[in-house]
Amino acid sequence: MKKLFFPLLAVFFVLSAIAHYAHMNTVFQFVVSAIAVVFVAGFLGKSTEAVSHYAGQRLGGFLNATFGNAAELIIAIFLVKEGLFEMVKASLTGSIIGNLLLVLGASAFAGGLKFKEQKFNVHLAGQNASLMLLAVIALFVPAIFVKTEHIGGTDAFRMSEIVAGLLIVAYVGWLIYSMITHKSFLEDHADTQAAHGEVPTWSKSRSILFLVVATVMVAFVSEWLVGTLHTFTADYGMSELFVGAFIVAIIGNAAEHSAAIMLAMKNKMGAAVEIAVGSSLQIALFVAPVLVFVSLLFTEQMDLIFTTVEIAAIAVAALITTSVSRDGSTTWYEGKLLLLVYIMLGVAFYFI
């Protein structure tokens, strides 16, 4: 099967491209694109793991999250250009709670079935918890003040700009803190190539190249697959909020989900946490604020005022994730708890 992986990856990627650009039957497009996502997810997972051998679990997970969110940012910019702000905010919400609950939950559950307890840097877990709380506060404050004090128009957008700027400052500071000044303080010291007794599949340069190629493939396949959903959502009468927060978010991040689970099953929970929690933090502290400033280039501007339901969902996800991960260890049972909360939110969003 390993020998057939790359030929099948190429076949289904090309087939999904043909189906999309030739405007074939929507169901056929959905099926081939979904299969292509599975193979592309595997490719991204292998690439991330290879990079982690050279860069360490933290940086490898960070690169995976960054490349994945870069593709999502590009798609979101096009949605902002079209003025589809509610869909953008819903998809951002879905990405945040999906990474915190679905990705981390599935990773902890799958890894926990194989290993009794999986540990990662406890200091990193604590810092992640603080940043998640900051993200919740940053989204809550503008929304509650705008809605209770009836702030609107230009003032609401100015408030969004200021908060967005502060979030970007916080994120840049976190990168400096975690990657430069306190890098050794937050890294997994047990994360060495010799400790795992593994030999990298590819060279360092090839691993990085494959990570970039895999990310580009993820962006294309995800967009093709998401494009087929409009027919299904129309037929089943799903709300725009549910589609954006759950269906689009799950499919758009499928490859990242797969990579985190694969790493957790190899007892590399540090990298899985970096992908799951790190990706959520990157979306909340960087992607969402950047979209506010990007919208200045277009006719209509996007503010940072999320709905009460979206803020509640993010707050619930941050609360349970902090409770589960703050001790720097996870088990299959804790993973199950995260998945159950995600299902609860999904059911609630479906009935909106």
Side-chain angles (χ1 to χ4, degrees):
M1 183 63 186
K2 289 184 178 180
K3 293 182 179 180
L4 293 175
F5 178 82
F6 284 103
L8 289 174
L9 168 65
V11 168
F12 281 104
F13 181 79
V14 172
L15 189 58
S16 60
I18 294 172
H20 173 76
Y21 291 110
H23 304 290
M24 293 183 180
N25 179 272
T26 305
V27 176
F28 179 72
Q29 288 186 51
F30 178 82
V31 172
V32 295
S33 295
I35 296 174
V37 164
V38 174
F39 283 102
V40 173
F43 184 30
L44 183 59
K46 291 176 184 291
S47 303
T48 301
E49 187 178 357
V51 170
S52 297
H53 274 289
Y54 299 102
Q57 290 189 28
R58 285 208 62 243
L59 185 55
F62 171 76
L63 290 173
N64 179 284
T66 300
F67 279 117
N69 287 336
E72 189 169 349
L73 175 61
I74 293 170
I75 295 173
I77 289 174
F78 284 109
L79 292 175
V80 168
K81 183 179 180 181
E82 297 298 322
L84 301 174
F85 302 139
E86 298 308 313
M87 177 67 83
V88 172
K89 292 176 185 177
S91 64
L92 293 175
T93 300
S95 294
I96 293 172
I97 64 177
N99 280 300
L100 291 179
L101 301 177
L102 178 60
V103 181
L104 186 59
S107 299
F109 183 78
L113 292 177
K114 191 173 180 181
F115 304 96
K116 189 172 183 179
E117 184 181 45
Q118 294 185 288
K119 294 187 176 183
F120 50 94
N121 192 297
V122 66
H123 301 293
L124 177 63
Q127 294 296 334
N128 283 340
S130 298
L131 284 170
M132 281 189 282
L133 181 59
L134 170 65
V136 173
I137 292 172
L139 295 179
F140 174 79
V141 170
I144 195 67
F145 273 78
V146 165
K147 292 175 182 178
T148 57
E149 300 301 323
H150 306 293
I151 300 173
T154 305
D155 289 339
F157 182 71
R158 283 177 180 169
M159 184 188 297
S160 296
E161 282 185 306
I162 294 172
V163 172
L166 292 173
L167 286 176
I168 293 175
V169 169
Y171 184 69
V172 172
W174 165 243
L175 291 181
I176 296 173
Y177 176 83
S178 62
M179 297 294 181
I180 301 176
T181 64
H182 288 68
K183 181 180 179 180
S184 60
F185 186 65
L186 298 174
E187 68 184 4
D188 264 328
H189 295 288
D191 175 34
T192 61
Q193 182 177 319
H196 294 294
E198 299 175 1
V199 178
T201 306
W202 305 309
S203 65
K204 183 178 180 180
S205 58
R206 180 170 292 187
S207 298
I208 296 173
L209 174 63
F210 282 174
L211 181 60
V212 175
V213 172
T215 303
V216 173
M217 294 176 75
V218 166
F220 278 106
V221 176
S222 298
E223 185 177 5
W224 297 336
L225 189 55
V226 169
T228 66
L229 291 175
H230 297 292
T231 300
F232 293 96
T233 54
D235 292 342
Y236 292 99
M238 298 178 185
S239 68
E240 185 177 276
L241 183 61
F242 177 77
V243 172
F246 283 84
I247 298 179
V248 172
I250 290 174
I251 294 175
N253 293 309
E256 293 167 73
H257 302 173
S258 172
I261 294 170
M262 286 170 59
L263 290 166
M265 292 181 71
K266 294 189 176 184
N267 204 24
K268 297 179 180 179
M269 200 61 200
V273 169
E274 189 62 39
I275 291 174
V277 180
S279 184
S280 291
L281 291 174
Q282 198 171 71
I283 291 169
L285 303 180
F286 183 74
V287 174
V290 164
L291 289 174
V292 172
F293 292 112
V294 168
S295 69
L296 292 171
L297 302 174
F298 308 120
T299 305
E300 296 182 73
Q301 280 71 53
M302 182 182 117
D303 56 38
L304 208 60
I305 312 301
F306 283 64
T307 66
T308 304
V309 171
E310 290 168 339
I311 295 173
I314 294 173
V316 166
L319 178 64
I320 185 66
T321 302
T322 298
S323 176
V324 164
S325 65
R326 190 147 205 168
D327 61 349
S329 65
T330 57
T331 62
W332 70 265
Y333 184 71
E334 291 174 326
K336 187 189 78 169
L337 295 179
L338 294 174
L339 292 173
L340 290 176
V341 174
Y342 186 72
I343 295 172
M344 290 179 196
L345 290 174
V347 171
F349 270 68
Y350 180 79
F351 285 104
I352 292 178

